């Protein structure tokens, strides 16, 4: 499907979503949110797509967040049920997402990255939740995901000052997985995606779901006892891959994953 504000490319089992509004530093407005919602829905439903990468067009920005000029001039507002960029309120996507942050990730842009499972950043990337500077708040997940990622006190230091954080400091704080030179960013993201694709896709989905749902359980005991009820975990036990993995190991060959 052709989109106006995003690009979607598939390379084997990897889908890359590019936020494509470089003229406004990939700031997003309502139509862009709905395009991402459709594209991520299609990715989630496609059995041949196993890993997603989210990045921004151009060299300056991953995403500057909400398109405030569009909002201020009376442009159409609203977002899909899946939230900002079709991601920040999406809690049922078991397939892993990698954020390849190529520049500024401010406000909603940072919230998009935090909604992904792994963040790879160019050394030119900058992260912040600056909403209070314009009388807003990071209510698309940033105020909740950042404390969970780096701890309450470190997160409050960023949130209550709206300060900017470099990619290097982001790695020190713990929300950035890897820092690369700008020209190496997409290569690094695809290398990470390839590593994930070498593993059992049903196992990866079960692992992702067990981590996130387990963190929301009231105790470690509840997480352990409850994990078999999680849909991706239950699907793993009844999948072809659940048999293929041990069989390939016993036959000393590479597994032929089916993702089902």
């Amino acid at each position: 499907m052709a989109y106006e504000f995003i690009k979607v490319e598939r390379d084997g089992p990897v889908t890359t979503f590019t936020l494509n509004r470089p003229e406004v530093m990939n700031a997003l407005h309502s139509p862009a949110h709905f395009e991402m919602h459709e594209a991520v829905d299609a990715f989630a439903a496609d059995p041949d797509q196993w890993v997603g990468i989210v990045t921004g067009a151009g060299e300056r920005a991953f995403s500057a967040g909400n398109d405030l000029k569009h909002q201020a001039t009376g442009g159409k507002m609203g977002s899909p049920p899946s939230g900002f960029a079709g991601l920040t309120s999406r809690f049922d996507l078991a397939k892993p997402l990698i954020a390849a942050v190529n520049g500024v990730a401010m406000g909603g842009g940072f919230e998009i990255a935090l909604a992904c499972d792994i963040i790879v950043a160019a050394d030119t990337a900058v992260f912040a939740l600056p909403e209070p500077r314009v009388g807003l708040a990071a209510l698309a997940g940033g105020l909740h995901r950042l404390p969970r990622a780096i701890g309450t006190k470190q997160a409050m230091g960023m949130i209550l000052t709206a300060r900017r954080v470099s990619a290097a400091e982001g790695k020190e704080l713990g929300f950035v997985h890897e820092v690369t030179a700008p020209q190496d960013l997409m290569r690094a993201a695809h290398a990470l995606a390839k590593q994930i694709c070498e593993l059992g896709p049903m196992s990866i989905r079960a692992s992702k779901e067990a981590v996130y749902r387990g963190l929301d359980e009231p105790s470690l005991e509840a997480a352990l006892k409850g994990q078999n009820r999680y849909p991706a975990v239950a699907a793993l036990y009844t999948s072809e891959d659940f048999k293929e993995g041990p069989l390939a190991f016993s036959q000393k060959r590479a597994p032929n994953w089916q993702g089902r």
Side-chain angles (χ1 to χ4, degrees), residues 131-176:
E131 283 87 346
R133 294 188 186 278
V134 291
L136 303 174
L139 296 172
L143 300 180
H144 305 290
R145 287 191 170 99
L146 189 59
R148 284 167 167 78
I150 66 173
T152 303
K153 297 302 183 186
Q154 293 281 19
M156 292 299 271
M158 288 184 63
I159 291 165
L160 300 183
T161 64
R163 73 181 183 88
R164 298 184 175 197
V165 167
S166 68
E169 186 180 355
K171 186 173 183 183
E172 290 177 7
L173 289 170
F175 64 79
V176 171

mmCIF file of all heavy atoms in Angstrom, residues 131-176:
data_model
loop_
_atom_site.group_PDB
_atom_site.id
_atom_site.type_symbol
_atom_site.label_atom_id
_atom_site.label_comp_id
_atom_site.label_asym_id
_atom_site.label_seq_id
_atom_site.Cartn_x
_atom_site.Cartn_y
_atom_site.Cartn_z
ATOM 1 N N GLU A 131 7.894 18.565 26.634
ATOM 2 C CA GLU A 131 6.522 19.062 26.574
ATOM 3 C C GLU A 131 6.217 20.201 27.542
ATOM 4 O O GLU A 131 5.500 21.145 27.178
ATOM 5 C CB GLU A 131 5.532 17.898 26.794
ATOM 6 C CG GLU A 131 5.343 16.995 25.590
ATOM 7 C CD GLU A 131 6.348 15.860 25.503
ATOM 8 O OE1 GLU A 131 7.371 15.920 26.233
ATOM 9 O OE2 GLU A 131 6.125 14.930 24.723
ATOM 10 N N PRO A 132 6.719 20.171 28.800
ATOM 11 C CA PRO A 132 6.408 21.279 29.716
ATOM 12 C C PRO A 132 6.882 22.646 29.224
ATOM 13 O O PRO A 132 6.364 23.678 29.679
ATOM 14 C CB PRO A 132 7.136 20.874 31.007
ATOM 15 C CG PRO A 132 7.145 19.381 30.969
ATOM 16 C CD PRO A 132 7.375 19.059 29.519
ATOM 17 N N ARG A 133 7.835 22.688 28.305
ATOM 18 C CA ARG A 133 8.287 23.971 27.766
ATOM 19 C C ARG A 133 7.189 24.665 26.949
ATOM 20 O O ARG A 133 7.229 25.885 26.747
ATOM 21 C CB ARG A 133 9.517 23.773 26.877
ATOM 22 C CG ARG A 133 10.752 23.292 27.624
ATOM 23 C CD ARG A 133 11.987 23.306 26.736
ATOM 24 N NE ARG A 133 13.131 22.725 27.411
ATOM 25 C CZ ARG A 133 13.910 23.372 28.282
ATOM 26 N NH1 ARG A 133 13.642 24.634 28.575
ATOM 27 N NH2 ARG A 133 14.936 22.759 28.850
ATOM 28 N N VAL A 134 6.226 23.875 26.448
ATOM 29 C CA VAL A 134 5.136 24.463 25.666
ATOM 30 C C VAL A 134 3.783 24.195 26.339
ATOM 31 O O VAL A 134 2.739 24.176 25.687
ATOM 32 C CB VAL A 134 5.141 23.927 24.215
ATOM 33 C CG1 VAL A 134 6.346 24.447 23.465
ATOM 34 C CG2 VAL A 134 5.106 22.405 24.180
ATOM 35 N N GLY A 135 3.813 23.968 27.653
ATOM 36 C CA GLY A 135 2.581 23.812 28.402
ATOM 37 C C GLY A 135 1.890 22.483 28.239
ATOM 38 O O GLY A 135 0.694 22.359 28.527
ATOM 39 N N LEU A 136 2.629 21.465 27.792
ATOM 40 C CA LEU A 136 2.046 20.137 27.598
ATOM 41 C C LEU A 136 2.729 19.134 28.526
ATOM 42 O O LEU A 136 3.561 19.489 29.346
ATOM 43 C CB LEU A 136 2.199 19.718 26.125
ATOM 44 C CG LEU A 136 1.589 20.668 25.090
ATOM 45 C CD1 LEU A 136 1.926 20.213 23.682
ATOM 46 C CD2 LEU A 136 0.075 20.773 25.271
ATOM 47 N N ALA A 137 2.397 17.879 28.407
ATOM 48 C CA ALA A 137 3.025 16.811 29.185
ATOM 49 C C ALA A 137 3.158 15.582 28.304
ATOM 50 O O ALA A 137 2.371 15.388 27.367
ATOM 51 C CB ALA A 137 2.201 16.482 30.436
ATOM 52 N N ALA A 138 4.147 14.741 28.593
ATOM 53 C CA ALA A 138 4.442 13.561 27.767
ATOM 54 C C ALA A 138 3.488 12.420 28.119
ATOM 55 O O ALA A 138 3.881 11.402 28.691
ATOM 56 C CB ALA A 138 5.895 13.135 27.964
ATOM 57 N N LEU A 139 2.231 12.595 27.720
ATOM 58 C CA LEU A 139 1.175 11.671 28.129
ATOM 59 C C LEU A 139 0.928 10.556 27.120
ATOM 60 O O LEU A 139 -0.050 9.823 27.239
ATOM 61 C CB LEU A 139 -0.114 12.457 28.390
ATOM 62 C CG LEU A 139 -0.003 13.447 29.570
ATOM 63 C CD1 LEU A 139 -1.251 14.319 29.642
ATOM 64 C CD2 LEU A 139 0.216 12.712 30.878
ATOM 65 N N ALA A 140 1.822 10.410 26.134
ATOM 66 C CA ALA A 140 1.722 9.298 25.186
ATOM 67 C C ALA A 140 2.670 8.175 25.594
ATOM 68 O O ALA A 140 3.173 7.442 24.750
ATOM 69 C CB ALA A 140 2.019 9.765 23.768
ATOM 70 N N GLY A 141 2.894 8.036 26.888
ATOM 71 C CA GLY A 141 3.685 6.917 27.390
ATOM 72 C C GLY A 141 5.031 7.287 27.971
ATOM 73 O O GLY A 141 5.602 6.525 28.746
ATOM 74 N N GLY A 142 5.566 8.450 27.622
ATOM 75 C CA GLY A 142 6.901 8.821 28.099
ATOM 76 C C GLY A 142 7.003 8.894 29.606
ATOM 77 O O GLY A 142 8.012 8.465 30.187
ATOM 78 N N LEU A 143 5.972 9.428 30.261
ATOM 79 C CA LEU A 143 6.004 9.578 31.715
ATOM 80 C C LEU A 143 5.915 8.235 32.438
ATOM 81 O O LEU A 143 6.213 8.161 33.632
ATOM 82 C CB LEU A 143 4.853 10.485 32.174
ATOM 83 C CG LEU A 143 4.858 11.902 31.605
ATOM 84 C CD1 LEU A 143 3.679 12.702 32.142
ATOM 85 C CD2 LEU A 143 6.172 12.611 31.919
ATOM 86 N N HIS A 144 5.533 7.194 31.722
ATOM 87 C CA HIS A 144 5.405 5.869 32.328
ATOM 88 C C HIS A 144 6.513 4.920 31.868
ATOM 89 O O HIS A 144 7.038 4.143 32.670
ATOM 90 C CB HIS A 144 4.034 5.282 31.995
ATOM 91 C CG HIS A 144 2.900 6.178 32.395
ATOM 92 N ND1 HIS A 144 2.571 6.409 33.711
ATOM 93 C CD2 HIS A 144 2.052 6.930 31.648
ATOM 94 C CE1 HIS A 144 1.550 7.262 33.765
ATOM 95 N NE2 HIS A 144 1.220 7.585 32.531
ATOM 96 N N ARG A 145 6.868 4.993 30.595
ATOM 97 C CA ARG A 145 7.897 4.067 30.094
ATOM 98 C C ARG A 145 9.302 4.458 30.546
ATOM 99 O O ARG A 145 10.122 3.583 30.831
ATOM 100 C CB ARG A 145 7.833 3.988 28.562
ATOM 101 C CG ARG A 145 6.626 3.218 28.039
ATOM 102 C CD ARG A 145 6.744 2.939 26.547
ATOM 103 N NE ARG A 145 5.701 1.997 26.117
ATOM 104 C CZ ARG A 145 4.559 2.357 25.532
ATOM 105 N NH1 ARG A 145 4.316 3.636 25.295
ATOM 106 N NH2 ARG A 145 3.668 1.440 25.181
ATOM 107 N N LEU A 146 9.602 5.753 30.593
ATOM 108 C CA LEU A 146 10.958 6.152 30.957
ATOM 109 C C LEU A 146 11.310 5.734 32.388
ATOM 110 O O LEU A 146 12.390 5.166 32.611
ATOM 111 C CB LEU A 146 11.156 7.652 30.757
ATOM 112 C CG LEU A 146 12.599 8.142 30.900
ATOM 113 C CD1 LEU A 146 13.521 7.463 29.900
ATOM 114 C CD2 LEU A 146 12.668 9.665 30.749
ATOM 115 N N PRO A 147 10.457 5.959 33.403
ATOM 116 C CA PRO A 147 10.786 5.464 34.747
ATOM 117 C C PRO A 147 10.949 3.949 34.805
ATOM 118 O O PRO A 147 11.796 3.444 35.548
ATOM 119 C CB PRO A 147 9.597 5.917 35.601
ATOM 120 C CG PRO A 147 9.023 7.068 34.863
ATOM 121 C CD PRO A 147 9.222 6.753 33.412
ATOM 122 N N ARG A 148 10.163 3.232 34.026
ATOM 123 C CA ARG A 148 10.302 1.777 34.005
ATOM 124 C C ARG A 148 11.619 1.349 33.360
ATOM 125 O O ARG A 148 12.157 0.295 33.687
ATOM 126 C CB ARG A 148 9.123 1.152 33.251
ATOM 127 C CG ARG A 148 7.817 1.123 34.054
ATOM 128 C CD ARG A 148 6.629 0.783 33.138
ATOM 129 N NE ARG A 148 5.428 0.445 33.894
ATOM 130 C CZ ARG A 148 4.627 1.316 34.483
ATOM 131 N NH1 ARG A 148 4.903 2.612 34.417
ATOM 132 N NH2 ARG A 148 3.546 0.915 35.139
ATOM 133 N N ALA A 149 12.122 2.172 32.443
ATOM 134 C CA ALA A 149 13.345 1.817 31.722
ATOM 135 C C ALA A 149 14.603 2.161 32.505
ATOM 136 O O ALA A 149 15.589 1.411 32.467
ATOM 137 C CB ALA A 149 13.375 2.521 30.364
ATOM 138 N N ILE A 150 14.603 3.288 33.223
ATOM 139 C CA ILE A 150 15.852 3.757 33.852
ATOM 140 C C ILE A 150 15.723 4.046 35.339
ATOM 141 O O ILE A 150 16.693 4.490 35.951
ATOM 142 C CB ILE A 150 16.406 5.004 33.121
ATOM 143 C CG1 ILE A 150 15.468 6.203 33.275
ATOM 144 C CG2 ILE A 150 16.656 4.701 31.646
ATOM 145 C CD1 ILE A 150 16.051 7.502 32.704
ATOM 146 N N GLY A 151 14.554 3.796 35.914
ATOM 147 C CA GLY A 151 14.365 4.081 37.329
ATOM 148 C C GLY A 151 13.739 5.451 37.547
ATOM 149 O O GLY A 151 13.917 6.375 36.753
ATOM 150 N N THR A 152 13.023 5.576 38.638
ATOM 151 C CA THR A 152 12.230 6.783 38.887
ATOM 152 C C THR A 152 13.082 8.043 39.018
ATOM 153 O O THR A 152 12.795 9.073 38.409
ATOM 154 C CB THR A 152 11.384 6.603 40.160
ATOM 155 O OG1 THR A 152 10.558 5.445 40.015
ATOM 156 C CG2 THR A 152 10.497 7.820 40.392
ATOM 157 N N LYS A 153 14.143 7.997 39.814
ATOM 158 C CA LYS A 153 14.908 9.215 40.091
ATOM 159 C C LYS A 153 15.621 9.735 38.846
ATOM 160 O O LYS A 153 15.632 10.940 38.585
ATOM 161 C CB LYS A 153 15.903 8.976 41.227
ATOM 162 C CG LYS A 153 15.261 8.629 42.565
ATOM 163 C CD LYS A 153 14.293 9.723 43.020
ATOM 164 C CE LYS A 153 13.703 9.390 44.398
ATOM 165 N NZ LYS A 153 12.664 10.351 44.797
ATOM 166 N N GLN A 154 16.234 8.835 38.076
ATOM 167 C CA GLN A 154 16.890 9.269 36.849
ATOM 168 C C GLN A 154 15.864 9.831 35.868
ATOM 169 O O GLN A 154 16.112 10.859 35.210
ATOM 170 C CB GLN A 154 17.636 8.096 36.200
ATOM 171 C CG GLN A 154 18.826 7.576 36.996
ATOM 172 C CD GLN A 154 20.052 8.472 36.825
ATOM 173 O OE1 GLN A 154 19.959 9.617 36.416
ATOM 174 N NE2 GLN A 154 21.213 7.932 37.155
ATOM 175 N N ALA A 155 14.721 9.171 35.766
ATOM 176 C CA ALA A 155 13.678 9.636 34.853
ATOM 177 C C ALA A 155 13.140 10.994 35.284
ATOM 178 O O ALA A 155 12.932 11.888 34.452
ATOM 179 C CB ALA A 155 12.546 8.610 34.774
ATOM 180 N N MET A 156 12.915 11.170 36.578
ATOM 181 C CA MET A 156 12.396 12.454 37.053
ATOM 182 C C MET A 156 13.391 13.574 36.796
ATOM 183 O O MET A 156 13.005 14.718 36.530
ATOM 184 C CB MET A 156 12.063 12.364 38.536
ATOM 185 C CG MET A 156 10.893 11.463 38.840
ATOM 186 S SD MET A 156 9.341 11.997 38.073
ATOM 187 C CE MET A 156 8.708 13.077 39.334
ATOM 188 N N GLY A 157 14.670 13.255 36.842
ATOM 189 C CA GLY A 157 15.678 14.256 36.522
ATOM 190 C C GLY A 157 15.557 14.751 35.097
ATOM 191 O O GLY A 157 15.796 15.928 34.815
ATOM 192 N N MET A 158 15.193 13.865 34.175
ATOM 193 C CA MET A 158 14.967 14.267 32.788
ATOM 194 C C MET A 158 13.617 14.952 32.621
ATOM 195 O O MET A 158 13.512 15.989 31.970
ATOM 196 C CB MET A 158 15.038 13.042 31.865
ATOM 197 C CG MET A 158 16.403 12.462 31.637
ATOM 198 S SD MET A 158 16.369 11.089 30.432
ATOM 199 C CE MET A 158 15.804 11.933 28.948
ATOM 200 N N ILE A 159 12.583 14.364 33.222
ATOM 201 C CA ILE A 159 11.217 14.836 33.001
ATOM 202 C C ILE A 159 10.995 16.226 33.594
ATOM 203 O O ILE A 159 10.421 17.109 32.946
ATOM 204 C CB ILE A 159 10.214 13.828 33.600
ATOM 205 C CG1 ILE A 159 10.240 12.524 32.787
ATOM 206 C CG2 ILE A 159 8.802 14.408 33.645
ATOM 207 C CD1 ILE A 159 9.582 11.351 33.488
ATOM 208 N N LEU A 160 11.460 16.456 34.810
ATOM 209 C CA LEU A 160 11.157 17.708 35.502
ATOM 210 C C LEU A 160 12.055 18.867 35.101
ATOM 211 O O LEU A 160 11.810 20.009 35.498
ATOM 212 C CB LEU A 160 11.223 17.497 37.026
ATOM 213 C CG LEU A 160 10.240 16.459 37.585
ATOM 214 C CD1 LEU A 160 10.330 16.388 39.099
ATOM 215 C CD2 LEU A 160 8.804 16.761 37.149
ATOM 216 N N THR A 161 13.082 18.581 34.316
ATOM 217 C CA THR A 161 13.921 19.656 33.785
ATOM 218 C C THR A 161 13.796 19.784 32.275
ATOM 219 O O THR A 161 14.279 20.757 31.694
ATOM 220 C CB THR A 161 15.408 19.420 34.131
ATOM 221 O OG1 THR A 161 15.860 18.216 33.479
ATOM 222 C CG2 THR A 161 15.615 19.296 35.633
ATOM 223 N N ALA A 162 13.168 18.807 31.628
ATOM 224 C CA ALA A 162 13.020 18.766 30.166
ATOM 225 C C ALA A 162 14.369 18.824 29.462
ATOM 226 O O ALA A 162 14.472 19.291 28.337
ATOM 227 C CB ALA A 162 12.119 19.911 29.680
ATOM 228 N N ARG A 163 15.404 18.314 30.136
ATOM 229 C CA ARG A 163 16.744 18.450 29.569
ATOM 230 C C ARG A 163 16.976 17.453 28.438
ATOM 231 O O ARG A 163 16.333 16.410 28.358
ATOM 232 C CB ARG A 163 17.809 18.278 30.653
ATOM 233 C CG ARG A 163 18.020 16.862 31.163
ATOM 234 C CD ARG A 163 19.088 16.847 32.257
ATOM 235 N NE ARG A 163 19.375 15.489 32.718
ATOM 236 C CZ ARG A 163 20.287 14.705 32.154
ATOM 237 N NH1 ARG A 163 21.008 15.149 31.133
ATOM 238 N NH2 ARG A 163 20.508 13.484 32.613
ATOM 239 N N ARG A 164 17.934 17.802 27.591
ATOM 240 C CA ARG A 164 18.299 16.952 26.461
ATOM 241 C C ARG A 164 19.401 15.980 26.862
ATOM 242 O O ARG A 164 20.325 16.352 27.591
ATOM 243 C CB ARG A 164 18.759 17.816 25.290
ATOM 244 C CG ARG A 164 17.681 18.740 24.771
ATOM 245 C CD ARG A 164 18.143 19.509 23.552
ATOM 246 N NE ARG A 164 17.057 20.305 22.997
ATOM 247 C CZ ARG A 164 17.049 20.818 21.772
ATOM 248 N NH1 ARG A 164 18.097 20.617 20.970
ATOM 249 N NH2 ARG A 164 16.020 21.513 21.336
ATOM 250 N N VAL A 165 19.299 14.773 26.358
ATOM 251 C CA VAL A 165 20.242 13.705 26.683
ATOM 252 C C VAL A 165 20.838 13.178 25.384
ATOM 253 O O VAL A 165 20.108 12.881 24.429
ATOM 254 C CB VAL A 165 19.529 12.581 27.462
ATOM 255 C CG1 VAL A 165 20.375 11.327 27.546
ATOM 256 C CG2 VAL A 165 19.151 13.065 28.854
ATOM 257 N N SER A 166 22.150 13.049 25.346
ATOM 258 C CA SER A 166 22.828 12.519 24.159
ATOM 259 C C SER A 166 22.644 11.011 24.069
ATOM 260 O O SER A 166 22.247 10.351 25.042
ATOM 261 C CB SER A 166 24.320 12.845 24.227
ATOM 262 O OG SER A 166 24.930 12.109 25.289
ATOM 263 N N ALA A 167 23.004 10.467 22.906
ATOM 264 C CA ALA A 167 22.942 9.018 22.737
ATOM 265 C C ALA A 167 23.871 8.319 23.716
ATOM 266 O O ALA A 167 23.518 7.287 24.298
ATOM 267 C CB ALA A 167 23.307 8.648 21.296
ATOM 268 N N ALA A 168 25.074 8.892 23.916
ATOM 269 C CA ALA A 168 26.039 8.282 24.836
ATOM 270 C C ALA A 168 25.491 8.250 26.255
ATOM 271 O O ALA A 168 25.606 7.236 26.957
ATOM 272 C CB ALA A 168 27.357 9.051 24.788
ATOM 273 N N GLU A 169 24.865 9.350 26.692
ATOM 274 C CA GLU A 169 24.289 9.347 28.038
ATOM 275 C C GLU A 169 23.083 8.419 28.110
ATOM 276 O O GLU A 169 22.855 7.753 29.130
ATOM 277 C CB GLU A 169 23.886 10.758 28.469
ATOM 278 C CG GLU A 169 23.412 10.791 29.921
ATOM 279 C CD GLU A 169 22.989 12.154 30.425
ATOM 280 O OE1 GLU A 169 23.135 13.147 29.669
ATOM 281 O OE2 GLU A 169 22.507 12.236 31.571
ATOM 282 N N GLY A 170 22.325 8.350 27.016
ATOM 283 C CA GLY A 170 21.197 7.417 26.978
ATOM 284 C C GLY A 170 21.640 5.984 27.188
ATOM 285 O O GLY A 170 20.964 5.203 27.867
ATOM 286 N N LYS A 171 22.798 5.640 26.637
ATOM 287 C CA LYS A 171 23.328 4.295 26.863
ATOM 288 C C LYS A 171 23.751 4.125 28.313
ATOM 289 O O LYS A 171 23.521 3.073 28.933
ATOM 290 C CB LYS A 171 24.497 4.013 25.923
ATOM 291 C CG LYS A 171 24.986 2.573 26.025
ATOM 292 C CD LYS A 171 26.036 2.230 24.993
ATOM 293 C CE LYS A 171 26.426 0.759 25.100
ATOM 294 N NZ LYS A 171 27.510 0.393 24.162
ATOM 295 N N GLU A 172 24.372 5.154 28.898
ATOM 296 C CA GLU A 172 24.761 5.084 30.305
ATOM 297 C C GLU A 172 23.542 4.939 31.209
ATOM 298 O O GLU A 172 23.557 4.173 32.179
ATOM 299 C CB GLU A 172 25.546 6.337 30.701
ATOM 300 C CG GLU A 172 26.936 6.446 30.090
ATOM 301 C CD GLU A 172 27.629 7.733 30.472
ATOM 302 O OE1 GLU A 172 27.081 8.482 31.319
ATOM 303 O OE2 GLU A 172 28.715 8.006 29.934
ATOM 304 N N LEU A 173 22.473 5.646 30.870
ATOM 305 C CA LEU A 173 21.254 5.572 31.671
ATOM 306 C C LEU A 173 20.534 4.247 31.486
ATOM 307 O O LEU A 173 19.817 3.807 32.387
ATOM 308 C CB LEU A 173 20.322 6.728 31.298
ATOM 309 C CG LEU A 173 20.758 8.120 31.749
ATOM 310 C CD1 LEU A 173 19.892 9.196 31.104
ATOM 311 C CD2 LEU A 173 20.697 8.238 33.269
ATOM 312 N N GLY A 174 20.704 3.635 30.307
ATOM 313 C CA GLY A 174 20.147 2.309 30.109
ATOM 314 C C GLY A 174 19.014 2.200 29.107
ATOM 315 O O GLY A 174 18.522 1.098 28.867
ATOM 316 N N PHE A 175 18.597 3.319 28.491
ATOM 317 C CA PHE A 175 17.495 3.162 27.535
ATOM 318 C C PHE A 175 17.989 2.995 26.097
ATOM 319 O O PHE A 175 17.212 2.615 25.220
ATOM 320 C CB PHE A 175 16.471 4.296 27.643
ATOM 321 C CG PHE A 175 16.968 5.681 27.291
ATOM 322 C CD1 PHE A 175 17.091 6.084 25.971
ATOM 323 C CD2 PHE A 175 17.277 6.596 28.286
ATOM 324 C CE1 PHE A 175 17.520 7.359 25.638
ATOM 325 C CE2 PHE A 175 17.711 7.875 27.976
ATOM 326 C CZ PHE A 175 17.833 8.258 26.643
ATOM 327 N N VAL A 176 19.270 3.252 25.840
ATOM 328 C CA VAL A 176 19.855 3.013 24.525
ATOM 329 C C VAL A 176 20.670 1.729 24.574
ATOM 330 O O VAL A 176 21.500 1.549 25.467
ATOM 331 C CB VAL A 176 20.750 4.185 24.075
ATOM 332 C CG1 VAL A 176 21.522 3.838 22.802
ATOM 333 C CG2 VAL A 176 19.909 5.443 23.849
#
